[in-house]
Amino acid sequence: MRRNPAPLGERVTVRVPPDIAYAAVADVTRMGQWSPEVRGARVLGGPGPVRVGTRFVGLNRASWLPWATLCTVVSARPGSCFAFKVGFLGVALSQWTYHFREVPGGCEITEEWLDLRSPVAGRLLTAVSPAITGVLRRRERNRETMRATLAALRTALEDG
């Protein structure tokens, strides 16, 4: 099994400025509005804008069984970049990064997923993950959900 392949990325152009798109994505409690897999998030440590070091619990569901992850914000540059690392039971799983770039008439949002599982943890998680998440092929599933998430985010941002 090849570990830590190149990041997986998808992008979309939206008719809003980068700071508006960033604010929507950085409000992690709203991700469930767009993602077919994320059901929501609970920010730990109280309300307020997220910043580097902010932790939150991601609530997910791919099929019949929900699961939670512990996430830590690693980049929070308004209008530019928002990223967080994801862990499960103390094991690093992935990093999700959103880049925002101004383009004529709006901004381009790029969503990236980077697999952070070590070779040993990766083999173990690949064996048990389908029972926990219902997902057999994580990389392929993430590409599908990224496309769906970005399309729903574009609609929400442009429709206001």
Side-chain angles (χ1 to χ4, degrees), residues 38-56:
V38 176
R39 295 300 181 243
R42 292 198 177 96
V43 177
L44 304 175
V50 296
R51 56 185 169 271
V52 172
T54 297
R55 295 180 346 142
F56 62 94

Side-chain angles (χ1 to χ4, degrees), residues 1-157:
M1 169 183 289
R2 183 174 170 230
R3 289 285 50 143
N4 301 326
L8 182 65
E10 292 290 331
R11 66 183 53 155
V12 67
T13 301
V14 296
R15 293 186 314 263
V16 300
D19 59 326
I20 299 296
Y22 172 91
V25 171
D27 182 354
V28 295
T29 64
R30 296 183 62 196
M31 190 56 75
Q33 297 174 16
W34 310 301
S35 171
E37 191 165 293
V38 176
R39 295 300 181 243
R42 292 198 177 96
V43 177
L44 304 175
V50 296
R51 56 185 169 271
V52 172
T54 297
R55 295 180 346 142
F56 62 94
V57 175
L59 307 170
N60 308 286
R61 182 184 210 124
S63 61
W64 61 275
L65 185 64
W67 74 94
T69 56
L70 181 60
C71 306
T72 304
V73 175
V74 295
S75 181
R77 296 190 319 264
S80 176
C81 181
F82 179 72
F84 56 92
K85 289 187 176 179
V86 179
F88 182 75
L89 299 176
V91 176
L93 298 180
S94 61
Q95 179 171 310
W96 290 89
T97 303
Y98 297 82
H99 296 282
F100 306 87
R101 184 174 65 89
E102 188 169 3
V103 296
C107 77
E108 179 182 80
I109 304 170
T110 302
E111 181 180 23
E112 290 181 348
W113 172 75
L114 178 63
D115 186 352
L116 297 178
R117 297 173 295 176
S118 69
V120 171
R123 283 192 295 275
L124 176 62
L125 289 169
T126 298
V128 300
S129 182
I132 296 170
T133 67
V135 176
L136 294 173
R137 294 177 185 87
R138 176 49 60 192
R139 190 171 177 87
E140 292 82 359
R141 168 71 177 175
N142 283 356
R143 182 174 299 284
E144 293 169 12
T145 62
M146 290 164 75
R147 288 175 177 162
T149 297
L150 290 173
L153 178 60
R154 178 180 56 217
T155 298
L157 290 171

